[in-house]
Amino acid sequence: MTPRPTHYKDRHITFATMHGKEHLACDIFRDVLGATVTAPEGLDTDQFGTFAGDIPRTLTPRDAARVKARLGMQIAGTTLGLASEGSFSATFGPVEHMEILLFIDDDLGLELIEGTLTASPSQEATPSPLHHKPDVTVKRSASPPKE
């Protein structure tokens, strides 16, 4: 598939991960936007807490994804960043697992977030409530757009 020319054609997007997740995003970002996705070397995302809980989380999933994306962008020297964050909760009843993906474009002043929510044992993955709330799906970043 040849991507149509976009603002992202031939641009580099940094995926702040140390678990190989950039490989899951590289094909779609290349095919749809014409961009490359890589992970920065030496990034420790576990410093913000781990899924297993051996390092406690102090941030909300959205804030953790934002901090990770910004750190990855800083390390790589890019203005485009991605990060993901997963969480689960187990109360009396189904176990819920939420995964979010956050994209930052400092050039355009954008922050986009997408997520899924899976409840077990009997429910399939469904779009996250985040998907249906424009105020949390698209947000201007703190950095103004570059001219």
Side-chain angles (χ1 to χ4, degrees), residues 89-103:
S89 63
T91 57
F92 185 72
V95 174
E96 293 183 345
H97 171 231
M98 182 164 69
E99 189 76 27
I100 63 170
L101 182 67
L102 184 132
F103 173 74

Side-chain angles (χ1 to χ4, degrees), residues 2-112:
T2 303
R4 296 184 326 205
T6 71
H7 168 74
Y8 301 102
K9 180 154 177 37
D10 299 324
R11 303 280 307 276
H12 179 79
I13 300 170
T14 302
F15 198 140
T17 182
M18 55 187 265
H19 302 291
K21 294 179 184 177
E22 73 277 12
H23 301 293
L24 301 173
C26 65
D27 289 346
I28 192 71
F29 278 84
R30 181 195 61 232
D31 293 348
V32 175
L33 299 177
T36 59
V37 177
T38 60
E41 291 189 32
L43 175 67
D44 177 15
T45 57
D46 284 350
Q47 67 182 303
F48 304 111
T50 57
F51 190 80
D54 47 322
I55 299 174
R57 292 181 171 165
T58 60
L59 301 170
T60 66
R62 182 178 179 180
D63 288 342
R66 183 182 299 114
V67 169
K68 287 195 268 186
R70 291 231 170 259
L71 180 59
M73 293 162 66
Q74 179 184 9
I75 290 170
T78 61
T79 59
L80 304 171
L82 279 172
S84 65
E85 186 63 29
S87 63
F88 72 95
S89 63
T91 57
F92 185 72
V95 174
E96 293 183 345
H97 171 231
M98 182 164 69
E99 189 76 27
I100 63 170
L101 182 67
L102 184 132
F103 173 74
I104 295 174
D105 179 337
D106 274 348
D107 295 329
L108 296 178
L110 295 176
E111 179 179 290
L112 307 173

